[in-house]
Structures are given as C-alpha cells and as structure tokens.
Amino acid sequence: MLDPKLLRESPQTVRDAIARKHLDADLDGVLALDAGWRSMLTEVESLRSKQKAANNEMAALKKGTPEFLAKVQEMKAVSAEVKAREEGLKGLEEKWQAAMMTLPNIPHSSVPDGKTPEENVVFATHGSIEAVSPNALPHWEIAGFSNLIDFARGAKVTGAGFPFLIGDAARLSRALLQFFLDEDGKAGYTEVSPPIFVNAASATATGQLPDKEGQMYETADKLYAVPTAEVPLTNFFRDEIVEQDALPICRCAYTPCFRREAGSYGKDVRGLNRVHQFDKVELLKWVHPASSYDELDKLRADAERLLQKLELPYRVLLMCGGDLGFAQSKKYDLEVWAAGQKRWLEVSSCSNFEAFQARRAQIRFRNKETGKPELVHTLNGSGLAVPRVLAALLENNLQADGRVKIPAALVPYFGKEFLSFK
C-alpha cells in the first residue's frame, strides 16, 4: 500500500508509476474518495469537539434546571448526529482503504521503461550455454521420463499440473531442497517451517489480495494455500515492532507451493516448466530502508551462488516497468539455460517491495534516534524453485547412455553421481 501522504502531495508520481507499470488503476477515483473521506473526518472531529464542549457545559449546570434540561436535549441531538456521521465515515473509510489497495507500488528510478518481457534488460550472465551435454533433449522426451515423473497418473489422482515424482526424481528433488536450505543457512538465513495455509489478512498484506485471487487455491473456510513461502514468512512480524539493531532479519523456508496459473498448451508449459504444485525454498529479509537496495544485491547474489554451485548457465534480467509486477519496486529474475528446449527458464525472482508490504502489514522498527516506529522494507527471492532447476539439470547433464550426471555439489545430498531413468 502506498503512503497516503505521497498520494496527496505528489499524485503525479503515482500517476507516472501506474503508467510505467502499464496497469489500469482509477487514480482520480481514489483521489476523490480520499478527499471525501478527509472532509467527512473533519466534520466528525468538529462534531466531537462540539459534543465535548456541550458535555463540559452540562457538567457545570445544576441538574434539573431548565438550562440543564435544554443542554441534555442539545447533547442528545449532537450525539445522534455524531453517531450517524461516524457510521458514514466508517463506510467511506472502508471504501477508501479498498481503493488504496488498487494502486501499485512505485518503480525504483533504476527500473527500465518497457511494456513487455522482451524489453527486460540482461543485467548479467554466468557460464556458457555451449558447455552443456551434446546429448541434451527436452526433459519430457528423455527415454523413461515417465518412469520417474508421472504426469498421467498425477492427472488421474488430482488433475493436470500435479505430477508424481518417483524414485530418483523424488530423491533428487529432496536433495535439491536440502542443498538449498543448507547453503542458505551458510549465507546467514535462519530456517523456518511455516504454515502452508494463510488467512485473507496475510494474503492482503503481501499483495496477493486483492490482486491475484484467481491464482490462489481457497478453502471453504477462507484460508489460502500458499503460492510461495513469502506470504507466511512476511506476516511473521505483522502488527509488530522490531528493534533497529535486529535488522536485517534474514529467514528462509521450504514449502510446497500452489498456483492456478499453469497454462494448458505449448512448449512454455510442457513437462516441469509450469505446474500447479511445486517445491520451493524462499529467502526473505526485513531491512532498514537506508540499506534495502544493498540488501537486494546481496539477496540476488545468494540466489545466484546456488546456480553457480549447480554448474548451471544462467542470466540475470532486470525487469522493466511493464513486467515488474503490482507490488515490487525493483525485481531481478534469474533464468537457467535448458539445453534440450534451447530456452531460458525462470527459477528465481528477487524483489524489493520497499515499504509497500510493510505498510499493509504494519511491520515496523523502532528508530534508535527518535524512539518512534518506522516501516521496514521487505525483500524476497526464490532460493530456489525446484521444478525448472530439475528440468535444466536433466537436460543439460544428459549422457549418451541416458543417465544424468549429478553436479559435484549435489552428490553428497543425492548419494550417487548419476540419475537413471531405468
């Protein structure tokens, strides 16, 4: 959520942000609601002052006198008017709050302009896409693929996008998760095992609601299956004040993730490229506003280090305004090279939300100099998501005999040097 002060004092900044993100938002409608709400608030406060003054005057009068009785009637009239106006103010404030939720975060000045993913900027590359196995195939075309990753039976049991991982595939997925968590721990992140269902307040705080309802799985009692561990992790400190010396606070968490967004046709959604349920380790930071962009660079480096140790060629994209997302101020995507498909696959997004989530969640720190609470900045990134990393490992390391060579850093976790589809 944006700072209302920014909306009132610099509406053009908000208008420009909406334009840079190429989103639809009724800024004029929000401004009108804000003006109406503030006007009614002034009226209510004036009536409350009048009510207080009348109460003080009545207290000075002798009970039962004509003046006292007249003042009682005046008090009743003022009280009724205050009550009616307060009810109207509450309704208008709820509309104003809902309208404020429709305004996107402000892109950082370093975010490039652009409307489509093709206008994202290649910020960095690592490794050679030529130095992969000459035997690479799209992972779903590898002989025996369905012996280890069974989409057909997953569709029978649940639906499309819910595969079974069997044998070495399940073992490799578990090895990746343990590897990610151990490496993230070495980088200074404290591991957390969070709930995988959250309430509407938690989803609203992180920006999933009211922006992404259609992408989330909802239960009958209004709980949401997490689309990412970002949601429960961020809300850990909701409505709390932390000490400044505790910042930055760094946490990591593994959860299964659930998203409706998987497509239905084409190479972009085949195999492991996009599924409805997947495993992911999330990195999250609560930081001092003065250091949030330095912390974003560190967060990105932590995610990159995992790919380097897995010997996967990758590139870093700096997202343009139109591909940035509703809640982010700045975002990098990490994409691995999948040699069989001859395309890049996103495996991590590293984002700075500045105070956008913290304002919704009221996550603050106590300023040591002023003693007053201020909003933290929140950052998160995948460290990492399993399915596309697994797809790239299978494709890039496919041997002539049909086995897959396991990267050296992963061998202690997997327990052997090759994965076999037989």
Side-chain angles (χ1 to χ4, degrees):
M1 181 173 165
L2 295 178
D3 186 349
K5 184 178 179 181
L6 174 68
L7 178 72
R8 294 159 190 161
E9 296 181 356
S10 303
Q12 190 58 45
T13 299
V14 181
R15 199 177 301 278
D16 292 344
I18 295 169
R20 290 192 69 199
K21 288 194 168 185
H22 298 273
L23 296 173
D24 293 325
D26 184 10
L27 179 60
D28 291 333
V30 179
L31 287 168
L33 271 172
D34 182 58
W37 173 70
R38 286 189 292 150
S39 175
M40 184 173 285
L41 179 62
T42 299
E43 292 178 16
V44 170
E45 288 176 343
S46 177
L47 282 170
R48 286 170 180 162
S49 296
K50 184 178 178 181
Q51 183 182 31
K52 183 178 180 181
N55 187 54
N56 290 337
E57 291 173 9
M58 188 176 68
L61 296 172
K62 185 176 180 180
K63 291 183 180 180
T65 63
E67 294 84 0
F68 178 85
L69 296 175
K71 190 61 67 174
V72 168
Q73 293 303 313
E74 180 184 340
M75 276 287 296
K76 287 181 178 179
V78 173
S79 296
E81 189 174 4
V82 168
K83 183 178 180 181
R85 289 301 184 93
E86 283 179 338
E87 289 176 356
L89 178 66
K90 182 180 179 182
L92 192 56
E93 184 176 13
E94 289 173 353
K95 291 181 180 179
W96 172 78
Q97 287 278 1
M100 286 292 292
M101 293 290 186
T102 67
L103 299 178
N105 202 357
I106 308 296
H108 189 261
S109 59
S110 62
V111 170
D113 289 329
K115 186 175 183 179
T116 66
E118 289 70 31
E119 296 172 273
N120 294 330
V121 174
V122 178
F123 180 80
T125 60
H126 182 88
S128 170
I129 63 175
E130 308 299 330
V132 295
S133 170
N135 306 294
L137 289 172
H139 58 276
W140 59 84
E141 293 183 8
I142 299 173
F145 174 76
S146 61
N147 292 334
L148 299 190
I149 302 177
D150 195 327
F151 278 86
R153 288 190 173 93
K156 176 182 69 174
V157 170
T158 304
F162 292 89
F164 278 101
L165 271 62
I166 305 158
D168 273 0
R171 185 174 182 172
L172 183 54
S173 176
R174 176 163 50 86
L176 282 167
L177 291 170
Q178 189 62 61
F179 169 72
F180 295 157
L181 289 168
D182 284 355
E183 290 296 319
D184 294 336
K186 293 174 186 176
Y189 296 84
T190 300
E191 183 178 348
V192 176
S193 180
I196 61 170
F197 288 90
V198 295
N199 55 32
S202 295
T204 300
T206 51
Q208 273 68 34
L209 297 179
D211 184 46
K212 298 181 175 67
E213 293 92 334
Q215 297 178 13
M216 301 177 74
Y217 288 95
E218 182 181 357
T219 70
D221 49 354
K222 299 298 182 182
L223 294 178
Y224 297 87
V226 298
T228 164
E230 167 201 342
V231 184
L233 275 183
T234 302
N235 281 275
F236 187 90
F237 289 115
R238 191 172 83 224
D239 297 322
E240 294 186 29
I241 300 174
V242 301
E243 294 304 318
Q244 182 174 330
D245 287 343
L247 302 176
I249 301 172
C250 305
R251 300 279 172 85
C252 65
Y254 152 68
T255 62
C257 302
F258 304 88
R259 299 183 187 179
R260 293 181 183 274
E261 65 183 357
S264 54
Y265 302 105
K267 66 179 183 179
D268 289 353
V269 298
R270 290 201 63 180
L272 294 166
N273 286 358
R274 191 173 296 174
V275 289
H276 288 299
Q277 177 183 330
F278 60 96
D279 291 327
K280 181 162 70 80
V281 173
E282 188 76 3
L283 307 175
L284 199 131
K285 293 186 177 187
W286 299 264
V287 307
H288 192 286
S291 62
S292 67
Y293 282 95
D294 289 338
E295 292 293 342
L296 177 62
D297 290 338
K298 293 177 183 177
L299 176 69
R300 189 193 72 241
D302 292 335
E304 287 187 58
R305 194 175 302 112
L306 299 172
L307 295 174
Q308 292 165 11
K309 291 194 172 186
L310 292 176
E311 304 169 42
L312 289 170
Y314 69 89
R315 67 179 184 179
V316 181
L317 297 182
L318 175 58
M319 314 308 282
C320 68
D323 203 28
L324 183 57
F326 180 84
Q328 292 97 340
S329 287
K330 186 173 183 177
K331 180 173 75 169
Y332 295 98
D333 273 4
L334 308 186
E335 297 184 333
V336 296
W337 178 250
Q341 302 173 64
K342 294 181 171 54
R343 61 187 297 256
W344 298 98
L345 302 177
E346 178 205 326
V347 294
S348 177
S349 291
C350 299
S351 304
N352 189 343
F353 298 85
E354 295 192 359
F356 192 81
Q357 292 180 328
R359 181 170 286 106
R360 290 185 176 205
Q362 281 300 290
I363 306 171
R364 295 162 290 169
F365 72 96
R366 193 171 303 283
N367 187 303
K368 291 173 65 176
E369 295 182 0
T370 66
K372 296 180 179 180
E374 298 179 15
L375 294 169
V376 301
H377 282 191
T378 58
L379 294 77
N380 68 52
S382 307
L384 297 161
V386 168
R388 294 175 187 171
V389 171
L390 180 57
L393 287 173
L394 297 179
E395 295 183 18
N396 294 2
N397 299 335
L398 185 63
Q399 306 298 296
D401 62 4
R403 297 184 301 166
V404 174
K405 191 175 189 305
I406 302 301
L410 206 54
V411 169
Y413 294 90
F414 187 58
K416 48 187 177 179
E417 295 182 359
F418 290 93
L419 172 147
S420 174
F421 287 92
K422 296 180 180 178

mmCIF file of all heavy atoms in Angstrom, residues 18 26 48 65 99 248 251 323 331:
data_model
loop_
_atom_site.group_PDB
_atom_site.id
_atom_site.type_symbol
_atom_site.label_atom_id
_atom_site.label_comp_id
_atom_site.label_asym_id
_atom_site.label_seq_id
_atom_site.Cartn_x
_atom_site.Cartn_y
_atom_site.Cartn_z
ATOM 1 N N ILE A 18 1.773 4.233 -12.321
ATOM 2 C CA ILE A 18 0.744 3.418 -12.983
ATOM 3 C C ILE A 18 1.064 3.293 -14.470
ATOM 4 O O ILE A 18 0.965 2.211 -15.061
ATOM 5 C CB ILE A 18 -0.650 4.029 -12.764
ATOM 6 C CG1 ILE A 18 -1.019 3.983 -11.280
ATOM 7 C CG2 ILE A 18 -1.706 3.312 -13.603
ATOM 8 C CD1 ILE A 18 -2.255 4.797 -10.936
ATOM 9 N N ASP A 26 -7.777 3.440 -11.223
ATOM 10 C CA ASP A 26 -8.574 4.672 -11.239
ATOM 11 C C ASP A 26 -8.035 5.639 -10.186
ATOM 12 O O ASP A 26 -8.600 5.783 -9.099
ATOM 13 C CB ASP A 26 -10.036 4.326 -10.968
ATOM 14 C CG ASP A 26 -10.955 5.554 -11.058
ATOM 15 O OD1 ASP A 26 -10.485 6.617 -11.505
ATOM 16 O OD2 ASP A 26 -12.127 5.439 -10.651
ATOM 17 N N ARG A 48 -17.427 16.079 17.270
ATOM 18 C CA ARG A 48 -16.939 15.515 18.536
ATOM 19 C C ARG A 48 -16.497 16.624 19.488
ATOM 20 O O ARG A 48 -16.730 16.554 20.706
ATOM 21 C CB ARG A 48 -15.777 14.568 18.262
ATOM 22 C CG ARG A 48 -16.192 13.230 17.641
ATOM 23 C CD ARG A 48 -14.985 12.458 17.186
ATOM 24 N NE ARG A 48 -15.332 11.168 16.584
ATOM 25 C CZ ARG A 48 -14.519 10.463 15.815
ATOM 26 N NH1 ARG A 48 -13.280 10.926 15.558
ATOM 27 N NH2 ARG A 48 -14.902 9.319 15.307
ATOM 28 N N THR A 65 -32.430 21.877 36.347
ATOM 29 C CA THR A 65 -32.778 23.239 35.957
ATOM 30 C C THR A 65 -33.179 23.266 34.492
ATOM 31 O O THR A 65 -32.812 22.383 33.713
ATOM 32 C CB THR A 65 -31.594 24.189 36.166
ATOM 33 O OG1 THR A 65 -30.519 23.771 35.321
ATOM 34 C CG2 THR A 65 -31.129 24.167 37.623
ATOM 35 N N ALA A 99 -9.910 1.151 -2.114
ATOM 36 C CA ALA A 99 -9.416 1.861 -3.298
ATOM 37 C C ALA A 99 -7.897 2.013 -3.256
ATOM 38 O O ALA A 99 -7.216 1.869 -4.284
ATOM 39 C CB ALA A 99 -10.083 3.237 -3.394
ATOM 40 N N PRO A 248 19.444 -6.311 9.498
ATOM 41 C CA PRO A 248 18.407 -7.019 8.754
ATOM 42 C C PRO A 248 18.101 -8.371 9.382
ATOM 43 O O PRO A 248 18.978 -9.032 9.922
ATOM 44 C CB PRO A 248 19.040 -7.198 7.373
ATOM 45 C CG PRO A 248 20.512 -7.307 7.656
ATOM 46 C CD PRO A 248 20.756 -6.360 8.813
ATOM 47 N N ARG A 251 15.477 -14.740 6.810
ATOM 48 C CA ARG A 251 14.865 -16.048 7.031
ATOM 49 C C ARG A 251 14.768 -16.809 5.707
ATOM 50 O O ARG A 251 14.693 -16.202 4.634
ATOM 51 C CB ARG A 251 13.455 -15.893 7.622
ATOM 52 C CG ARG A 251 13.413 -15.151 8.973
ATOM 53 C CD ARG A 251 13.776 -16.062 10.126
ATOM 54 N NE ARG A 251 13.935 -15.341 11.377
ATOM 55 C CZ ARG A 251 12.937 -15.040 12.202
ATOM 56 N NH1 ARG A 251 11.701 -15.381 11.900
ATOM 57 N NH2 ARG A 251 13.170 -14.408 13.337
ATOM 58 N N ASP A 323 6.795 -5.338 -16.773
ATOM 59 C CA ASP A 323 6.928 -6.736 -16.352
ATOM 60 C C ASP A 323 7.347 -6.831 -14.890
ATOM 61 O O ASP A 323 7.772 -7.888 -14.435
ATOM 62 C CB ASP A 323 7.946 -7.455 -17.243
ATOM 63 C CG ASP A 323 7.749 -8.968 -17.257
ATOM 64 O OD1 ASP A 323 6.601 -9.413 -17.062
ATOM 65 O OD2 ASP A 323 8.731 -9.697 -17.462
ATOM 66 N N LYS A 331 12.880 -5.560 -9.415
ATOM 67 C CA LYS A 331 12.943 -7.018 -9.419
ATOM 68 C C LYS A 331 13.958 -7.516 -10.433
ATOM 69 O O LYS A 331 14.060 -6.993 -11.543
ATOM 70 C CB LYS A 331 11.572 -7.614 -9.741
ATOM 71 C CG LYS A 331 11.548 -9.136 -9.757
ATOM 72 C CD LYS A 331 10.138 -9.682 -9.909
ATOM 73 C CE LYS A 331 9.623 -9.546 -11.313
ATOM 74 N NZ LYS A 331 8.376 -10.305 -11.541
#
